Amino acid sequence: MTHQSTATSLSYREALHKAMHDAMAGNPNALLFGQGINDHKGIFGTTTGLADKFGKHRLIEVPLAEEGVTGNCIGAALNGAYPINVHIRSDFVLLAMNQIINLAAKYKYMFGGLFDVPMLVRLVIGRSWGQGAQHSQSLQSLFAHIPGLTVIMPASSGSIVDSYAHAVRKHRGPVISLEHRLMYDLKFEPEHEPVVLGATPFSQRKVSHGSDVTIVSTSIMSLEARRAGEWLASRGISCDIIDLHCVSHIDADVIMKSVARTGKLLVADTSWQPYGVSAEVCRIVAMRDPGVLKAPVVCMGMAAAPCPTAKALEDIYYPNLTTLTDAIATLVRGKKDNGIELPHERSMADVYKKFKGPF
Amino acid sequence: MLTAPNERLKRLIRQTLLIRRIEERVIELYPSDKIQSPVHLSIGQEPVAVGLCEAMTPQDILFTTYRGHAYYIAKGGTLPELMAELYGRSGGVSGGKAGSMHLAAPEVGMMGSSAVVASTIPHGVGAALAAKLRGEKQAVITVFGDGATEEGVYHESLNFAVLHKVPVLFVCENNALAVHTSLAERQAFDTESHAKAYGINTTVIEDGNDLIKIGDVTAKLLASLRAGGGPEWLMIKTYRYKEHVGPGDDFDAGYRKRADMEPWWKSDPLNRYADIVKGMEAEVKAEIDRAVAFAEASAPPAPEQLLTDVE
Amino acid sequence: MNAVTSLPRDVALGLYRTLYLARRCEEVIVRIYPDDEMKTPMHMSMGQEAVSVGICKALAGNGDVIASYRSHATYLAHTEDHRSFFGELHGRTNGTADGKSGSMHLADIPKGMLGASGIVGAGIPVALGAAFANKQQSPGRVVAVFFGDGAVDEGAFWESLNIACAMGLPVMFVCEDNDLAVHTRVSDRRGYSSLPDVVRRYNCMVLEDESNDVEAIYRLGRYAIEQMMSQKTPAFLNIRTYRYLEHCGTAPDTDAPYRKAAEDAFWKGRDCVAMQRKRLLEGGVPESEIVKMERAIDADIEVSVAAANQAPHPGQDLLYRGVFHEAS
Ligand SMILES: Cc1ncc(C[n+]2csc(CCOP(=O)(O)OP(=O)(O)O)c2C)c(N)n1
Ligand SMILES: Cc1ncc(C[n+]2csc(CCOP(=O)(O)OP(=O)(O)O)c2C)c(N)n1
Ligand SMILES: [Mg+2]
Ligand SMILES: [Mg+2]
């Protein structure tokens, strides 16, 4: 059974606003906690106006106290509320790791199933334009490592709307969602929504069908993969692209089925490679059936350093359309000198400021 | 000065006795290695839990610490399930997955206990916020040790509770020790006047052995919470007889003296009311025997349990 | 504010010089930011410079400093090095960190500017460590740690305050209280009414200033250092001030809903740079001397900007340099 997306034409930002609105409207016990949620900027416009409609007793402007506030959310969840806690940069949640890892993730198991901790933590990955080492991290693997947490990385408006509704209405445990700042202004048309490959909105998604190479990607890298795939399609290379979405719960069959067909695998994640999503996808293939691979796996992600601010370095810190396309072509053709013309794009950030979709 | 024993006092003494004797049974059983769980005994501190919980209704909820046996029992948790939990058996309150440090009984408002110092303080505040939003007359107590007040999250929680006037009672169970370190070595501030400076109403009970007083004061504070008066702060001074963790005595360890215990031993309700206690011993023992028998008979959790309730 | 300075002429002039430098550097940033050569989020100090200048000068060369991400004034007051400053903001190899750190992490370890962090409150515990080292290795040397009123809401502040007081560390907590964390007022974030009153419950000296006057802050800093040395306690300084520009970025946002016109007028009426300039004039310093100094600073800043624009961009070889465990 596959889940059908209910998306309409919305920007990522609008989708987030709708998701927040629907959560508050649909559950009188839903609460939204965050620094700046009720100010005139409203978390990049994703919470604007909600306090007027639902009241400041439910939209709770909080002090800078990430650990305390996360603990407040857990306590509220234990006492019948559905808390949503938003951090304008994912980096700031590092102050709350005790509550998330030691408490929220374990509150069910540690007490033998006596409690549920239904809550949603929204984290925004900052990127580009000198965000630097402490405002740009992509921390999915830290969370996905921990049993008890469900970690999603919505890569489209439909994915936001459906996944957040699922989190609020159905899921009974803590969900960590990593949103990507560069996607906020992108509009997603329903026909470009990837197809959900499982029974719930948390399932993996198929971005495009192809036969030459499997690309497993996360968040904005799924958009990049689609762009690279479109470029390569007219040059004779066909990509099978899987948007991982729920990085903590990967359907190994989805990946294996694809790799068995293509024989080649490229993982494009928004974060560092060691111990991360790239490593995890490789683990799955290596443990399931490494024999399906006809070439070594290629992984793309951030350089193994803190993020530098200088544009000259930031541009080579992240993969971009050119390096991604090159990597795919090299993998498929089996050689560096593969004769495939490459798109020229120095920085992804420049593009996304203007980029209006599709997808 | 305690008044002549009445029914109420007897009830409180009995509960204190039950906790004392069950923990003593834990000490007895410990060498057998049937209880493979680090135990932070409350022996000496039981009246604090008994008095606090007496004032709570079943709807009121409690968050506490790894030193939680007393709270579990005082809040109404069942004995056989406690013992089975300590034994790591399937009949335990959490099927053997919690052990001594994570006791809970949500049906009676015991909302959990954590081994990470101070980590349940914000839970009490958040739960109280939820209670306030629902407009319920539910009060929340969050208990923590004196050491926990050094953690940043205590300060964050205090601030949030005052800012949002939530119905939570902060209870500092002050045994003047964090493991083996004295208050003076750790704290450059006076916790009570500090809390007062937040605009929170503070109360200190010097004699943590005074069951009646603890019960009465708590009842008054909880009434104020339910009336919408905002958070309250209560410190109860008390004394831990046993080592920080484990079944032993450690007066020879050098960080404290046996003489420190004297005044507490004297005011210990189980000593003061030794006559009453005597009459209760047999029944209490029988109750504990039944709990131990239940634990002994309970099966270890099945291997399938390893991966249940992860999410 | 005292109309006439009670400080030696060179000290009063020195304070103004540094105030002017910090202000002017940021005015230049405002001018050239739209050129998009400085691709780094800026948290501007403008309006608040007296805090950094007063305190850094009070350290008199015998102190270390840790700043928040709103670090321009602190960095400039402590180091006066606008060459590296502009180099860093331009992301060039002549910057404080080869252009890798941008506006939020300015540092100059040899000069005792031990860094700045984009994580609110993160510098506070680090300052305790530095103070601990000073206590052992450089008696008499203090650490001043700057942070905003928002940082006080973080548990790390309270943990640090307790530890510093319990250990009697020579650390000066300097709260730059602009009443705002981004757009949120202190009253919407704190349940208690007086921070100094809470801090007084610690074994700590507590001092306050609401003047935005660099000389008052300087004197307060000097007094705090003397007392810290004799009493062997840390000091906590709550210094009220006012941010002129938006939280992040170089534009004024006087019309934003969180702003209050009367408050804006009040603080701009006690602009720290203007106040000190006026005081110098009233104290008999010829305007021509002041103007000459100002023009020299202006010209020198333009040199820094030009140097930054001409400095090389960091190359690929620098991408991995400085990660602690470097492949050989
Ligand atoms: C965050 C954290 N730090 C350290 C420990 C180790 N530890 C366990 S109990 C304890 C002392 C806590 O003292 P207090 O809060 O006074 O509680 P008490 O044990 O006296 O009841 C410490 C340091 C821990 N469990 N959690
Ligand atoms: C731990 C953390 N939480 C949140 C943020 C986002 N943030 C950046 S600055 C700021 C406000 C801080 O206010 P304050 O400490 O008063 O400093 P000011 O900006 O007024 O100088 C916030 C919330 C952050 N950088 N770090
Ligand atoms: Mg203690
Ligand atoms: Mg501020």
Side-chain angles (χ1 to χ4, degrees), chain A residues 35 64 66 92, chain C residues 69-70 118 120 148-151 154 178 180-181 247:
Chain A
Q35 296 165 17
L64 281 102
E66 286 78 6
F92 308 153
Chain C
Y69 49 88
R70 198 176 298 291
V120 172
D149 47 290
E154 293 282 5
N178 59 15
L180 288 169
H247 164 71

Side-chain angles (χ1 to χ4, degrees), chain C residues 66-137:
Chain C
I66 290 180
S68 74
Y69 49 88
R70 198 176 298 291
S71 62
H72 295 174
T74 315
Y75 176 84
L76 290 167
H78 197 65
T79 69
E80 307 216 338
D81 178 3
H82 46 91
R83 293 274 192 283
S84 307
F85 176 75
F86 276 104
E88 190 56 42
L89 298 187
H90 281 76
R92 305 299 173 108
T93 47
N94 72 332
T96 57
D98 294 321
K100 285 175 173 176
S101 80
S103 158
M104 288 197 282
H105 313 292
L106 297 170
D108 183 341
I109 306 294
K111 285 190 177 152
M113 167 79 197
L114 303 184
S117 173
I119 301 300
V120 172
I124 304 175
V126 177
L128 267 62
F132 193 82
N134 280 346
K135 196 176 174 182
Q136 311 261 313
Q137 296 161 18

Side-chain angles (χ1 to χ4, degrees), chain A residues 31 33 57 60 65 67-68 71-72 74-76 78-79 98-99 103 107-115 148 249, chain B residues 63 94 97-98 102 104 111-113 116 119 122-123 125-127 129 133-134 138 153 156 160 164 306 308-311:
Chain A
L31 303 173
F33 294 77
H57 60 296
I60 301 161
E67 181 178 4
N72 299 154
I74 295 169
L78 290 170
N79 203 17
N98 174 48
Q99 287 295 333
L103 285 304
Y107 229 93
K108 182 166 194 172
Y109 189 88
M110 187 166 88
F111 294 106
L114 293 177
F115 301 101
H249 295 70
Chain B
F63 292 85
S94 294
K97 284 174 175 168
H102 308 296
M111 299 301 283
S113 36
V116 180
S119 58
H123 301 175
V125 174
L129 182 79
L133 286 171
R134 283 203 306 268
Q138 181 187 45
V153 75
E156 296 179 351
F160 195 91
H164 291 283
L306 182 64
T308 56
D309 292 322
V310 175
E311 53 205 20

Side-chain angles (χ1 to χ4, degrees), chain B residues 146 175 177-178:
Chain B
D146 49 299
N175 59 15
L177 285 171

Side-chain angles (χ1 to χ4, degrees), chain A residues 39 64 66 130 134-135 309-311, chain C residues 39 41 99 102 105 118 154 183:
Chain A
D39 71 19
L64 281 102
E66 286 78 6
Q134 298 174 332
H135 277 57
T309 50
K311 183 118 171 52
Chain C
K39 294 178 201 305
H105 313 292
E154 293 282 5
H183 311 126

Side-chain angles (χ1 to χ4, degrees), chain B residues 61-303:
Chain B
I61 58 178
L62 173 72
F63 292 85
T64 182
T65 75
Y66 48 85
R67 202 175 298 289
H69 300 169
Y71 289 96
Y72 172 91
I73 296 169
K75 191 73 175 83
T78 50
L79 233 46
E81 282 74 12
L82 168 67
M83 260 304 168
E85 190 58 42
L86 299 183
Y87 268 64
R89 301 295 172 88
S90 57
V93 62
S94 294
K97 284 174 175 168
S100 164
M101 293 197 284
H102 308 296
L103 296 172
E107 72 286 359
V108 291
M110 168 81 175
M111 299 301 283
S113 36
S114 165
V116 180
V117 170
S119 58
T120 53
I121 304 177
H123 301 175
V125 174
L129 182 79
K132 183 180 170 181
L133 286 171
R134 283 203 306 268
E136 283 174 17
K137 296 279 169 214
Q138 181 187 45
V140 181
I141 294 185
T142 183
V143 180
F144 46 89
D146 49 299
T149 64
E150 292 143 38
E151 294 282 3
V153 75
Y154 164 71
H155 299 259
E156 296 179 351
S157 302
L158 207 56
N159 184 38
F160 195 91
V162 178
L163 186 63
H164 291 283
K165 285 199 168 10
V166 302
V168 64
L169 172 60
F170 292 94
V171 177
C172 177
E173 192 179 24
N174 182 3
N175 59 15
L177 285 171
V179 192
H180 313 127
T181 313
S182 73
L183 262 180
E185 281 175 86
R186 296 180 275 118
Q187 294 186 1
F189 67 109
D190 172 66
T191 38
E192 190 207 359
S193 81
H194 169 269
K196 231 193 205 56
Y198 273 69
I200 192 168
N201 187 40
T202 63
T203 312
V204 176
I205 296 179
E206 294 289 336
D207 182 3
N209 278 334
D210 192 338
L211 289 161
I212 296 290
K213 181 161 185 187
I214 296 170
D216 288 349
V217 167
T218 307
K220 201 184 85 204
L221 299 179
L222 294 185
S224 163
L225 293 190
R226 290 194 193 95
E232 292 278 342
W233 188 96
L234 171 64
M235 173 187 278
I236 304 175
K237 296 190 181 169
T238 182
Y239 191 78
R240 154 164 72 72
Y241 290 177
K242 298 288 168 185
E243 59 187 334
H244 167 70
V245 57
D249 294 317
D250 66 352
F251 288 104
D252 54 0
Y255 72 95
R256 59 176 182 172
K257 297 196 240 5
R258 188 174 288 276
D260 301 341
M261 179 177 155
E262 290 288 296
W264 296 98
W265 182 251
K266 271 197 200 122
S267 67
D268 186 327
L270 301 186
N271 295 331
R272 285 190 67 174
Y273 304 105
D275 289 348
I276 303 176
V277 167
K278 211 174 279 165
M280 297 172 171
E281 292 280 17
E283 201 185 288
V284 164
K285 182 176 179 303
E287 204 177 330
I288 294 170
D289 288 342
R290 281 196 297 276
V292 172
F294 175 84
E296 298 267 354
S298 176

